Amino acid sequence: MSVSRRKFLGWMGAAGMGAAAGRSALAAGNKHFEGHPGSFGVLHDVTRCVGCRSCEAACNEVNGLQAPDRPFTDLNVLAEKRRTTVKAYTVVNKYDVPGKASPLFAKTQCNHCLEPACASACFVRAFQKTGTGAVTYDHSVCVGCRYCLIACPFDIPTYEYNEALTPRVMKCTLCYPRISKGQLPGCVEACPMEALTFGKREDLIKIARERMREYPGRYVDHIYGETEMGGTSWMYISSVPFSQVGMREDLGVTPAPQLTSGALAAVPIVAGLWPVLLMGIYAISKRKETIFQQELDSIREAAQSQRKEDV
Amino acid sequence: MPAIAAEDAKRFFTLFNIVSATIIIVGIVITILRFTKGLGAVTHLSDDNPWGLWIGFDLLVGVALAAGGYVTSAAVYLFGMKKYHSAVRPAVLTGFLGYALVVLALNYDVGRPWRLPYPFIMQQGTTSVLFEVGACVALYLTVLFLEFVPAPLEWLGLKRVRQLVVKLTLALTVLGVLLSTLHQSSLGALFLLAPSKLHPLWYSPYLPVFFFVSSIVAGLSMVIFESTLSHRYFGHKMDATHLSEKESVTLGFGKAASLVLAGYFIIKIMGLAAGNNWHFLGTAYGYWFLLEVAGFIALPSFLYAVGVRNKDLALIKWTAAWTVIGIILNRLTVSLIAFNWQLPSPRRYFPHLMEIAISIFIVTLGIVVFRFIVTRMPILYEHPAYKDAK
């Protein structure tokens, strides 16, 4: 899909308005949230990807990442399955699917969840779901607990384990600095096959459906990311079940924050009830002791008066 | 002169001192490596396995095994079980040292430890279970410190301050139980966020409840286990009250542990049923789960009961040690063994030798400090000047 600069800037304006209007929803919450209105995303059409790694090269360049171990033109790296690393915010993997003459390729990067697990996990709010759709990370507050890496269902965030004093979490930002300036994300711009489509998330869903309608039998009838983990800004369509191109189909539709909201909701209840119950137990045991003491005293008294009488 | 020097040297170079000094030196060397070369140089942590032994053992096991403090002080000060009073101080000391070491270990694990106060002073990530854990651990460490501090104050002869702190006992106990309930359970709740990574036999919405209930088991068992060790090595420090109460502590805590383990067993089975995960029992993970539930929950519950009925103190002590092993295995299973169970084995985690060395180093520090305190301060005996302490 082609996007004119003018149209794009229009969207940016809309996204900005949305961000301004919906500021309270920036952080992860436990209400149903359908994404910031007019926020952006990318649609990855797995059927179009040829595994040229142009996106990887562009990503490396625009983000100023470290040089790769092997050059981006070396397609032999596709022989093994890779994941994101501190040197690569995105990787393309090759999948040989039974019954298909040629292999399929799928690109992996941050999916920019509508309600991100990383943001929900972060105890310093270093992650933010911005109005543009990008999930950003602020290294200036990050403590480095790596709970975001534990939380991410897509295994995306990576960590600079070899930095002694200034380790950061590294992950795709949806090229937040670029899209804020009206540019396309590096990978989208670099893709020669138009396997990546940048646009408003609600439009992308319509485009995906349109392609499915236009080419009957070509796609699996599912947009990966439309509902997964409550929905993501980065979505996928494919000609084979998504598990065959390295994506998990067992994640469910529950947004990550809901997984812990129940446990967190118990906190004020425990904090409110426990002192009452514990002091109640204390009062009971105290009273028992008092009664015991009183009985002991009265027995002693009785014994004493008995002795007096005897005398 | 040389004879005295030789005598001094002999007293100093005991087996305990030599071993602990070696461990501490190794620990210091690795500490320097950790803070000059980064986590990558001393650990096997990776993007797939961001939490390793220092979280699985030092944090999760450490906090669980330090539960004796709140369990014992609740029993004595809230439930009125005064006959266990002599168990409070050693339990609180262990709790305090345990939590202090947990926080020390966190300084190794997190990337920028000097930012540990950031969640409280910079930006509050209140949607995070880790925020709750951090807040509760920080507050509880303070509570434990205040609960422990009468002992050094008596040692130093600071009567006035001690009186002041002792007055807080009841409030501190309530606060301690409250904070322990919250963070013991939230350590389990941390993993609620990763249903796709933790094996279904251990992932359960009841994880916080499992962690909380098993922490009571851990606390009770640790008090028994530790009093056995203390008696062996510091028996000469114990006063008549401590020695005479010791047996009833073992029996009483053994009985409580048996009952709580029985409850824990029932809720573990309920968790299995609620998740409808029976079909996993036939797999390798299933055998591991069955071993845990039958061997480390049901069995010790039964053995504790037998030990209490027959007044078999030796059996109770061995059962306590066995139960502690079970708790350690449970925490390591949730955080490491059953975590990332779907990843191919080359992407799984096994601790680096240096990670293990740091964990041993931290435990050793705990033992050394415990020894230092117990041999000097009124922990295992009542200070003659403060017999009023109930």
Side-chain angles (χ1 to χ4, degrees), chain B residues 22-304:
Chain B
T22 315
I23 294 172
I24 289 172
I25 291 167
V26 171
I28 292 170
V29 172
I30 301 173
T31 304
I32 295 169
L33 274 177
R34 152 70 185 90
F35 287 103
T36 51
K37 306 261 183 226
L39 282 168
V42 294
T43 70
H44 278 163
L45 296 176
S46 65
D47 294 330
D48 288 321
N49 304 290
W51 285 356
L53 193 67
W54 294 347
I55 295 294
F57 182 79
D58 300 23
L59 175 66
L60 297 185
V61 173
V63 167
L65 297 190
Y70 88 88
V71 172
T72 312
S73 53
V76 172
Y77 296 125
L78 298 179
F79 301 167
M81 303 176 180
K82 299 240 166 86
K83 56 178 174 172
Y84 305 137
H85 187 263
S86 61
V88 171
R89 280 209 173 166
V92 165
L93 172 62
T94 319
F96 173 59
L97 289 180
Y99 276 84
L101 295 172
V102 163
V103 174
L104 175 68
L106 281 180
N107 281 278
Y108 283 82
D109 188 76
V110 303
R112 307 193 201 198
W114 50 91
R115 285 183 176 179
L116 275 170
Y118 272 27
F120 312 110
I121 58 171
M122 298 290 282
Q123 292 190 123
Q124 292 75 34
T126 48
T127 56
S128 173
V129 176
L130 200 58
F131 182 82
E132 188 201 337
V133 171
C136 288
V137 168
L139 286 172
Y140 188 47
L141 184 61
T142 316
V143 167
L144 276 170
F145 173 74
L146 290 173
E147 284 186 310
F148 157 72
V149 86
L153 290 176
E154 286 169 16
W155 179 52
L156 298 169
L158 299 167
K159 254 184 172 153
R160 267 254 185 78
V161 193
R162 180 204 170 268
Q163 280 324 101
L164 212 70
V165 182
V166 166
K167 282 203 182 104
L168 295 173
T169 302
L170 185 60
L172 288 175
T173 306
V174 172
L175 199 55
V177 176
L178 165 64
L179 292 168
S180 294
T181 310
L182 291 178
H183 73 261
Q184 292 284 3
S185 59
S186 348
L187 284 176
L190 284 176
F191 294 92
L192 289 178
L193 205 45
S196 57
K197 295 183 184 177
L198 180 57
H199 192 284
L201 283 172
W202 286 274
Y203 185 90
S204 158
Y206 302 132
L207 257 177
V209 183
F210 294 159
F211 267 56
F212 173 60
V213 174
S214 59
S215 84
I216 300 172
V217 173
L220 293 167
S221 302
M222 271 306 277
V223 169
I224 299 172
F225 177 63
E226 201 193 288
S227 96
T228 310
L229 293 182
S230 291
H231 186 243
R232 174 168 298 175
Y233 296 106
F234 307 111
H236 57 284
K237 284 278 166 193
M238 295 176 172
D239 61 7
T241 323
H242 196 109
L243 288 170
S244 67
E245 283 184 9
K246 220 174 70 65
E247 194 170 309
S248 77
V249 169
T250 305
L251 287 172
F253 278 43
K255 190 174 173 183
S258 175
L259 288 167
V260 182
L261 273 167
Y264 183 40
F265 174 78
I266 291 168
I267 58 172
K268 280 291 267 189
I269 300 299
M270 278 163 60
L272 182 65
N276 200 11
N277 292 318
W278 306 96
H279 59 289
F280 283 110
L281 291 181
T283 65
Y285 280 102
Y287 302 144
W288 185 244
F289 180 83
L290 287 174
L291 176 73
E292 188 195 335
V293 170
F296 289 96
I297 301 175
L299 180 67
S301 173
F302 176 70
L303 291 180
Y304 267 132

Side-chain angles (χ1 to χ4, degrees), chain A residues 71-216:
Chain A
F72 289 110
T73 47
D74 182 357
L75 295 184
N76 291 323
V77 299
L78 293 170
E80 51 182 307
K81 298 286 174 282
R82 298 171 298 150
R83 61 155 290 160
T84 51
T85 66
V86 289
K87 294 179 182 178
Y89 287 171
T90 183
V91 289
V92 174
N93 276 317
K94 183 173 93 168
Y95 298 93
D96 290 306
V97 180
K100 289 260 173 196
S102 50
L104 286 169
F105 300 91
K107 177 181 177 300
T108 310
Q109 71 298 304
C110 177
N111 286 326
H112 299 275
C113 302
L114 298 184
E115 296 180 67
C118 53
S120 153
C122 185
F123 68 165
V124 274
R125 277 192 286 135
F127 291 93
Q128 206 172 49
K129 178 73 178 174
T130 65
T132 58
V135 176
T136 59
Y137 161 77
D138 176 6
H139 66 80
S140 73
V141 290
C142 177
V143 181
C145 71
R146 309 184 297 283
Y147 191 26
C148 48
L149 276 73
I150 292 278
C152 178
F154 303 109
D155 291 332
I156 294 305
T158 66
Y159 193 68
E160 293 182 314
Y161 288 101
N162 292 321
E163 285 290 333
L165 299 174
T166 57
R168 293 167 298 174
V169 171
M170 304 288 276
K171 76 161 196 76
C172 159
T173 64
L174 197 66
C175 278
Y176 180 71
R178 285 171 62 87
I179 61 175
S180 302
K181 281 188 293 189
Q183 292 171 302
L184 285 170
C187 54
V188 176
E189 196 173 73
C191 182
M193 301 305 294
E194 293 194 12
L196 300 170
T197 310
F198 180 86
K200 280 201 270 186
R201 186 175 186 270
E202 52 258 47
D203 292 340
L204 294 177
I205 293 171
K206 284 181 200 139
I207 292 167
R209 289 274 166 229
E210 185 64 17
R211 279 191 207 164
M212 288 176 188
R213 196 189 57 76
E214 221 171 312
Y215 304 98

